[in-house]
Amino acid sequence: MRRVAGLLLVAAALAGCGDRASIEAGGRAPGDILTVYTLLPREGPRAQAAQDINRGAKLALAQAGGRAGEVTVQFATAALPASLEADPIADVVEAVVRDTGTVAVIGDLDARTARYTAPLLNAVGILHVSPGTAPSGLAQPAAEPSFVPLVPADAAQAAALGTFKRGTVGVESEPGGLGVANALGSTTKRSVDAETVVYSGSDPVNARGVVRGVLAESPRAQVLLTQELATTDIAGDLGPRVRALTSVRAGAPPGFADAYPGLTPGPFARAGFDAMNDVLAALRRAGPRASTRLEVIRAFEPSPPGPFRLID
């Protein structure tokens, strides 16, 4: 955490070169070209969702001709490390922060990485759109004004899971998933006796172990995963009784087949496509002030989520 604290000072200095007003305003990106980064893992259980988001985001920018109003926009990627330790994550964020043309980041599919990346990006005033997580303590606009989670709130997820349950309900959760778990409740004290088991959390390793145990002990139960785990490969790997909740709009992004012939888009290609279009719309709304990061944050309006559904 010492490394992260040091980078917070670097970020603040880069935001305004020591000018307090500039720091508070998020600073201004110099030059004629602005950059939108994705900040996503290249390895591990979320790698496929990350690749889909990258493809969708690139497609949206290409369809816009690399422009948002009067500004030119380019796309770049930054790979989050497999390690969940603060220092390696901070190193990656530092590279994004030091690119003075950075105006927005689409990233974080995991609450455990967002607890480091969100404060750093907020310190420099860079719009941070997260298609995969809404970690506790980071979603409050007053505390993290640059962080925009696209994952619906715990109560909304719990209500949606309630519509997909069948029979008695058991809940398994990590400490970070207690909001959904508490809002959903359970009708049995033991998951082994449940006909529907909901797993709420963000750790795919822990989730995979628990779900395997549930499947072995309860051969007729269905297992539902909360939305943060929809970006993992757990449901697809563990069979048809395991599905994940998502509010990402259904269907392939328009033009995907022409842009990526022979590839089948995963559900999160649409998430990347929509997130990039929302960033471009914010830049257009900001108009001549599109290079001022705070103006982009203020102009950002996320598209409404699609109806909740379950994916394999």
mmCIF file of all heavy atoms in Angstrom, residues 222-258:
data_model
loop_
_atom_site.group_PDB
_atom_site.id
_atom_site.type_symbol
_atom_site.label_atom_id
_atom_site.label_comp_id
_atom_site.label_asym_id
_atom_site.label_seq_id
_atom_site.Cartn_x
_atom_site.Cartn_y
_atom_site.Cartn_z
ATOM 1 N N GLN A 222 -29.819 -25.987 -8.850
ATOM 2 C CA GLN A 222 -29.227 -25.045 -9.781
ATOM 3 C C GLN A 222 -28.392 -24.042 -8.986
ATOM 4 O O GLN A 222 -28.715 -23.729 -7.834
ATOM 5 C CB GLN A 222 -30.291 -24.311 -10.600
ATOM 6 C CG GLN A 222 -31.173 -23.359 -9.791
ATOM 7 C CD GLN A 222 -31.974 -22.406 -10.660
ATOM 8 O OE1 GLN A 222 -31.718 -22.254 -11.846
ATOM 9 N NE2 GLN A 222 -32.957 -21.743 -10.066
ATOM 10 N N VAL A 223 -27.312 -23.548 -9.594
ATOM 11 C CA VAL A 223 -26.445 -22.575 -8.939
ATOM 12 C C VAL A 223 -26.466 -21.287 -9.749
ATOM 13 O O VAL A 223 -26.237 -21.302 -10.970
ATOM 14 C CB VAL A 223 -24.997 -23.095 -8.815
ATOM 15 C CG1 VAL A 223 -24.107 -22.030 -8.162
ATOM 16 C CG2 VAL A 223 -24.956 -24.387 -8.009
ATOM 17 N N LEU A 224 -26.759 -20.190 -9.080
ATOM 18 C CA LEU A 224 -26.793 -18.884 -9.717
ATOM 19 C C LEU A 224 -25.662 -18.026 -9.152
ATOM 20 O O LEU A 224 -25.480 -17.950 -7.939
ATOM 21 C CB LEU A 224 -28.141 -18.195 -9.477
ATOM 22 C CG LEU A 224 -29.397 -18.985 -9.869
ATOM 23 C CD1 LEU A 224 -30.654 -18.155 -9.593
ATOM 24 C CD2 LEU A 224 -29.346 -19.399 -11.335
ATOM 25 N N LEU A 225 -24.921 -17.376 -10.047
ATOM 26 C CA LEU A 225 -23.810 -16.514 -9.666
ATOM 27 C C LEU A 225 -24.214 -15.060 -9.819
ATOM 28 O O LEU A 225 -24.917 -14.705 -10.764
ATOM 29 C CB LEU A 225 -22.589 -16.786 -10.548
ATOM 30 C CG LEU A 225 -22.141 -18.237 -10.684
ATOM 31 C CD1 LEU A 225 -21.004 -18.336 -11.703
ATOM 32 C CD2 LEU A 225 -21.716 -18.811 -9.333
ATOM 33 N N THR A 226 -23.764 -14.202 -8.918
ATOM 34 C CA THR A 226 -24.047 -12.772 -9.048
ATOM 35 C C THR A 226 -23.246 -12.178 -10.198
ATOM 36 O O THR A 226 -22.346 -12.804 -10.742
ATOM 37 C CB THR A 226 -23.745 -12.040 -7.736
ATOM 38 O OG1 THR A 226 -22.445 -12.417 -7.273
ATOM 39 C CG2 THR A 226 -24.779 -12.374 -6.685
ATOM 40 N N GLN A 227 -23.580 -10.933 -10.556
ATOM 41 C CA GLN A 227 -23.108 -10.382 -11.826
ATOM 42 C C GLN A 227 -21.591 -10.240 -11.908
ATOM 43 O O GLN A 227 -21.022 -10.355 -12.980
ATOM 44 C CB GLN A 227 -23.772 -9.025 -12.105
ATOM 45 C CG GLN A 227 -23.313 -8.423 -13.428
ATOM 46 C CD GLN A 227 -24.349 -7.553 -14.072
ATOM 47 O OE1 GLN A 227 -25.546 -7.694 -13.829
ATOM 48 N NE2 GLN A 227 -23.909 -6.638 -14.908
ATOM 49 N N GLU A 228 -20.933 -10.003 -10.791
ATOM 50 C CA GLU A 228 -19.489 -9.839 -10.868
ATOM 51 C C GLU A 228 -18.790 -11.102 -11.347
ATOM 52 O O GLU A 228 -17.717 -11.048 -11.943
ATOM 53 C CB GLU A 228 -18.929 -9.406 -9.517
ATOM 54 C CG GLU A 228 -17.508 -8.895 -9.635
ATOM 55 C CD GLU A 228 -17.068 -8.122 -8.419
ATOM 56 O OE1 GLU A 228 -17.640 -8.335 -7.333
ATOM 57 O OE2 GLU A 228 -16.152 -7.301 -8.551
ATOM 58 N N LEU A 229 -19.399 -12.248 -11.108
ATOM 59 C CA LEU A 229 -18.810 -13.507 -11.562
ATOM 60 C C LEU A 229 -19.236 -13.880 -12.971
ATOM 61 O O LEU A 229 -18.758 -14.870 -13.522
ATOM 62 C CB LEU A 229 -19.162 -14.623 -10.586
ATOM 63 C CG LEU A 229 -18.425 -14.536 -9.247
ATOM 64 C CD1 LEU A 229 -19.067 -15.457 -8.219
ATOM 65 C CD2 LEU A 229 -16.948 -14.860 -9.407
ATOM 66 N N ALA A 230 -20.121 -13.083 -13.575
ATOM 67 C CA ALA A 230 -20.513 -13.347 -14.967
ATOM 68 C C ALA A 230 -19.357 -13.141 -15.928
ATOM 69 O O ALA A 230 -19.359 -13.676 -17.034
ATOM 70 C CB ALA A 230 -21.687 -12.440 -15.359
ATOM 71 N N THR A 231 -18.344 -12.362 -15.517
ATOM 72 C CA THR A 231 -17.186 -12.126 -16.380
ATOM 73 C C THR A 231 -16.171 -13.256 -16.300
ATOM 74 O O THR A 231 -15.151 -13.210 -16.994
ATOM 75 C CB THR A 231 -16.493 -10.805 -16.004
ATOM 76 O OG1 THR A 231 -16.106 -10.848 -14.626
ATOM 77 C CG2 THR A 231 -17.406 -9.620 -16.246
ATOM 78 N N THR A 232 -16.415 -14.262 -15.474
ATOM 79 C CA THR A 232 -15.493 -15.388 -15.358
ATOM 80 C C THR A 232 -15.956 -16.550 -16.233
ATOM 81 O O THR A 232 -17.049 -16.520 -16.811
ATOM 82 C CB THR A 232 -15.399 -15.880 -13.901
ATOM 83 O OG1 THR A 232 -16.631 -16.526 -13.541
ATOM 84 C CG2 THR A 232 -15.133 -14.728 -12.944
ATOM 85 N N ASP A 233 -15.127 -17.597 -16.276
ATOM 86 C CA ASP A 233 -15.468 -18.781 -17.069
ATOM 87 C C ASP A 233 -16.098 -19.885 -16.224
ATOM 88 O O ASP A 233 -16.232 -21.019 -16.681
ATOM 89 C CB ASP A 233 -14.216 -19.319 -17.771
ATOM 90 C CG ASP A 233 -13.071 -19.619 -16.797
ATOM 91 O OD1 ASP A 233 -13.302 -19.584 -15.559
ATOM 92 O OD2 ASP A 233 -11.946 -19.880 -17.260
ATOM 93 N N ILE A 234 -16.522 -19.555 -15.009
ATOM 94 C CA ILE A 234 -17.003 -20.593 -14.095
ATOM 95 C C ILE A 234 -18.247 -21.301 -14.632
ATOM 96 O O ILE A 234 -18.313 -22.533 -14.679
ATOM 97 C CB ILE A 234 -17.297 -19.997 -12.706
ATOM 98 C CG1 ILE A 234 -16.010 -19.482 -12.076
ATOM 99 C CG2 ILE A 234 -17.944 -21.030 -11.790
ATOM 100 C CD1 ILE A 234 -16.228 -18.741 -10.781
ATOM 101 N N ALA A 235 -19.247 -20.515 -15.026
ATOM 102 C CA ALA A 235 -20.505 -21.127 -15.474
ATOM 103 C C ALA A 235 -20.272 -22.036 -16.672
ATOM 104 O O ALA A 235 -20.794 -23.157 -16.731
ATOM 105 C CB ALA A 235 -21.526 -20.048 -15.800
ATOM 106 N N GLY A 236 -19.502 -21.575 -17.634
ATOM 107 C CA GLY A 236 -19.251 -22.388 -18.818
ATOM 108 C C GLY A 236 -18.481 -23.659 -18.518
ATOM 109 O O GLY A 236 -18.689 -24.691 -19.164
ATOM 110 N N ASP A 237 -17.595 -23.599 -17.523
ATOM 111 C CA ASP A 237 -16.760 -24.761 -17.201
ATOM 112 C C ASP A 237 -17.489 -25.818 -16.374
ATOM 113 O O ASP A 237 -17.191 -27.009 -16.492
ATOM 114 C CB ASP A 237 -15.516 -24.314 -16.423
ATOM 115 C CG ASP A 237 -14.460 -23.680 -17.309
ATOM 116 O OD1 ASP A 237 -14.646 -23.689 -18.546
ATOM 117 O OD2 ASP A 237 -13.468 -23.174 -16.764
ATOM 118 N N LEU A 238 -18.428 -25.387 -15.532
ATOM 119 C CA LEU A 238 -19.002 -26.310 -14.562
ATOM 120 C C LEU A 238 -20.343 -26.897 -14.975
ATOM 121 O O LEU A 238 -20.962 -27.620 -14.196
ATOM 122 C CB LEU A 238 -19.119 -25.619 -13.196
ATOM 123 C CG LEU A 238 -17.781 -25.217 -12.558
ATOM 124 C CD1 LEU A 238 -17.997 -24.681 -11.155
ATOM 125 C CD2 LEU A 238 -16.809 -26.392 -12.521
ATOM 126 N N GLY A 239 -20.804 -26.598 -16.178
ATOM 127 C CA GLY A 239 -21.965 -27.305 -16.682
ATOM 128 C C GLY A 239 -23.261 -26.533 -16.646
ATOM 129 O O GLY A 239 -23.332 -25.410 -16.132
ATOM 130 N N PRO A 240 -24.319 -27.135 -17.178
ATOM 131 C CA PRO A 240 -25.578 -26.424 -17.401
ATOM 132 C C PRO A 240 -26.330 -26.046 -16.135
ATOM 133 O O PRO A 240 -27.258 -25.244 -16.192
ATOM 134 C CB PRO A 240 -26.391 -27.411 -18.245
ATOM 135 C CG PRO A 240 -25.814 -28.751 -17.936
ATOM 136 C CD PRO A 240 -24.361 -28.523 -17.679
ATOM 137 N N ARG A 241 -25.966 -26.615 -15.003
ATOM 138 C CA ARG A 241 -26.674 -26.244 -13.772
ATOM 139 C C ARG A 241 -26.148 -24.954 -13.161
ATOM 140 O O ARG A 241 -26.686 -24.464 -12.170
ATOM 141 C CB ARG A 241 -26.570 -27.377 -12.743
ATOM 142 C CG ARG A 241 -27.457 -28.565 -13.064
ATOM 143 C CD ARG A 241 -27.645 -29.431 -11.828
ATOM 144 N NE ARG A 241 -26.467 -30.215 -11.505
ATOM 145 C CZ ARG A 241 -26.067 -30.504 -10.268
ATOM 146 N NH1 ARG A 241 -26.749 -30.068 -9.230
ATOM 147 N NH2 ARG A 241 -24.992 -31.238 -10.070
ATOM 148 N N VAL A 242 -25.087 -24.392 -13.749
ATOM 149 C CA VAL A 242 -24.485 -23.165 -13.212
ATOM 150 C C VAL A 242 -24.661 -22.043 -14.221
ATOM 151 O O VAL A 242 -24.245 -22.158 -15.383
ATOM 152 C CB VAL A 242 -22.982 -23.366 -12.925
ATOM 153 C CG1 VAL A 242 -22.395 -22.102 -12.295
ATOM 154 C CG2 VAL A 242 -22.762 -24.569 -12.034
ATOM 155 N N ARG A 243 -25.302 -20.965 -13.807
ATOM 156 C CA ARG A 243 -25.496 -19.807 -14.684
ATOM 157 C C ARG A 243 -25.252 -18.527 -13.894
ATOM 158 O O ARG A 243 -25.363 -18.505 -12.680
ATOM 159 C CB ARG A 243 -26.910 -19.814 -15.280
ATOM 160 C CG ARG A 243 -27.148 -20.980 -16.245
ATOM 161 C CD ARG A 243 -28.537 -20.934 -16.849
ATOM 162 N NE ARG A 243 -29.566 -21.160 -15.834
ATOM 163 C CZ ARG A 243 -30.869 -20.994 -16.058
ATOM 164 N NH1 ARG A 243 -31.303 -20.595 -17.247
ATOM 165 N NH2 ARG A 243 -31.748 -21.230 -15.107
ATOM 166 N N ALA A 244 -24.919 -17.480 -14.624
ATOM 167 C CA ALA A 244 -24.561 -16.212 -13.986
ATOM 168 C C ALA A 244 -25.530 -15.120 -14.400
ATOM 169 O O ALA A 244 -25.991 -15.071 -15.545
ATOM 170 C CB ALA A 244 -23.137 -15.818 -14.373
ATOM 171 N N LEU A 245 -25.814 -14.240 -13.456
ATOM 172 C CA LEU A 245 -26.703 -13.108 -13.701
ATOM 173 C C LEU A 245 -25.952 -12.005 -14.436
ATOM 174 O O LEU A 245 -24.798 -11.722 -14.140
ATOM 175 C CB LEU A 245 -27.205 -12.567 -12.366
ATOM 176 C CG LEU A 245 -28.229 -11.432 -12.415
ATOM 177 C CD1 LEU A 245 -29.590 -11.966 -12.847
ATOM 178 C CD2 LEU A 245 -28.335 -10.767 -11.039
ATOM 179 N N THR A 246 -26.599 -11.374 -15.404
ATOM 180 C CA THR A 246 -26.014 -10.205 -16.048
ATOM 181 C C THR A 246 -27.113 -9.259 -16.505
ATOM 182 O O THR A 246 -28.231 -9.688 -16.792
ATOM 183 C CB THR A 246 -25.129 -10.592 -17.249
ATOM 184 O OG1 THR A 246 -24.471 -9.432 -17.753
ATOM 185 C CG2 THR A 246 -25.956 -11.217 -18.366
ATOM 186 N N SER A 247 -26.753 -7.977 -16.566
ATOM 187 C CA SER A 247 -27.659 -6.980 -17.136
ATOM 188 C C SER A 247 -27.077 -6.374 -18.402
ATOM 189 O O SER A 247 -27.585 -5.374 -18.901
ATOM 190 C CB SER A 247 -27.930 -5.869 -16.105
ATOM 191 O OG SER A 247 -26.721 -5.222 -15.739
ATOM 192 N N VAL A 248 -25.988 -6.961 -18.911
ATOM 193 C CA VAL A 248 -25.433 -6.519 -20.195
ATOM 194 C C VAL A 248 -26.463 -6.784 -21.284
ATOM 195 O O VAL A 248 -27.092 -7.855 -21.314
ATOM 196 C CB VAL A 248 -24.126 -7.271 -20.510
ATOM 197 C CG1 VAL A 248 -23.638 -6.945 -21.925
ATOM 198 C CG2 VAL A 248 -23.058 -6.922 -19.491
ATOM 199 N N ARG A 249 -26.651 -5.826 -22.150
ATOM 200 C CA ARG A 249 -27.658 -5.993 -23.201
ATOM 201 C C ARG A 249 -27.344 -7.212 -24.062
ATOM 202 O O ARG A 249 -26.191 -7.488 -24.380
ATOM 203 C CB ARG A 249 -27.736 -4.737 -24.059
ATOM 204 C CG ARG A 249 -28.350 -3.561 -23.310
ATOM 205 C CD ARG A 249 -28.828 -2.491 -24.266
ATOM 206 N NE ARG A 249 -27.723 -1.833 -24.950
ATOM 207 C CZ ARG A 249 -27.850 -1.122 -26.066
ATOM 208 N NH1 ARG A 249 -29.040 -1.004 -26.643
ATOM 209 N NH2 ARG A 249 -26.816 -0.531 -26.618
ATOM 210 N N ALA A 250 -28.381 -7.929 -24.442
ATOM 211 C CA ALA A 250 -28.212 -9.158 -25.201
ATOM 212 C C ALA A 250 -27.887 -8.854 -26.659
ATOM 213 O O ALA A 250 -28.191 -7.781 -27.180
ATOM 214 C CB ALA A 250 -29.485 -10.006 -25.116
ATOM 215 N N GLY A 251 -27.269 -9.825 -27.303
ATOM 216 C CA GLY A 251 -27.002 -9.717 -28.730
ATOM 217 C C GLY A 251 -25.604 -9.208 -29.036
ATOM 218 O O GLY A 251 -24.960 -8.542 -28.230
ATOM 219 N N ALA A 252 -25.146 -9.529 -30.226
ATOM 220 C CA ALA A 252 -23.833 -9.079 -30.667
ATOM 221 C C ALA A 252 -23.861 -7.593 -30.987
ATOM 222 O O ALA A 252 -24.891 -7.056 -31.403
ATOM 223 C CB ALA A 252 -23.408 -9.860 -31.913
ATOM 224 N N PRO A 253 -22.745 -6.897 -30.802
ATOM 225 C CA PRO A 253 -22.695 -5.493 -31.219
ATOM 226 C C PRO A 253 -22.941 -5.376 -32.716
ATOM 227 O O PRO A 253 -22.488 -6.234 -33.487
ATOM 228 C CB PRO A 253 -21.262 -5.070 -30.874
ATOM 229 C CG PRO A 253 -20.793 -6.057 -29.862
ATOM 230 C CD PRO A 253 -21.488 -7.341 -30.189
ATOM 231 N N PRO A 254 -23.651 -4.357 -33.158
ATOM 232 C CA PRO A 254 -23.877 -4.187 -34.596
ATOM 233 C C PRO A 254 -22.551 -4.123 -35.347
ATOM 234 O O PRO A 254 -21.622 -3.429 -34.939
ATOM 235 C CB PRO A 254 -24.617 -2.842 -34.681
ATOM 236 C CG PRO A 254 -25.211 -2.641 -33.323
ATOM 237 C CD PRO A 254 -24.283 -3.292 -32.355
ATOM 238 N N GLY A 255 -22.466 -4.883 -36.435
ATOM 239 C CA GLY A 255 -21.260 -4.868 -37.254
ATOM 240 C C GLY A 255 -20.161 -5.788 -36.782
ATOM 241 O O GLY A 255 -19.085 -5.833 -37.394
ATOM 242 N N PHE A 256 -20.387 -6.557 -35.705
ATOM 243 C CA PHE A 256 -19.334 -7.423 -35.169
ATOM 244 C C PHE A 256 -18.898 -8.476 -36.188
ATOM 245 O O PHE A 256 -17.700 -8.727 -36.364
ATOM 246 C CB PHE A 256 -19.806 -8.097 -33.883
ATOM 247 C CG PHE A 256 -18.728 -8.865 -33.164
ATOM 248 C CD1 PHE A 256 -18.002 -8.269 -32.151
ATOM 249 C CD2 PHE A 256 -18.443 -10.181 -33.498
ATOM 250 C CE1 PHE A 256 -17.002 -8.965 -31.484
ATOM 251 C CE2 PHE A 256 -17.439 -10.886 -32.837
ATOM 252 C CZ PHE A 256 -16.717 -10.281 -31.833
ATOM 253 N N ALA A 257 -19.853 -9.107 -36.848
ATOM 254 C CA ALA A 257 -19.515 -10.179 -37.784
ATOM 255 C C ALA A 257 -18.646 -9.683 -38.928
ATOM 256 O O ALA A 257 -17.739 -10.390 -39.392
ATOM 257 C CB ALA A 257 -20.794 -10.813 -38.327
ATOM 258 N N ASP A 258 -18.880 -8.473 -39.395
ATOM 259 C CA ASP A 258 -18.061 -7.924 -40.472
ATOM 260 C C ASP A 258 -16.671 -7.542 -39.974
ATOM 261 O O ASP A 258 -15.676 -7.701 -40.687
ATOM 262 C CB ASP A 258 -18.744 -6.687 -41.072
ATOM 263 C CG ASP A 258 -20.020 -7.046 -41.813
ATOM 264 O OD1 ASP A 258 -20.132 -8.188 -42.305
ATOM 265 O OD2 ASP A 258 -20.917 -6.182 -41.888
#
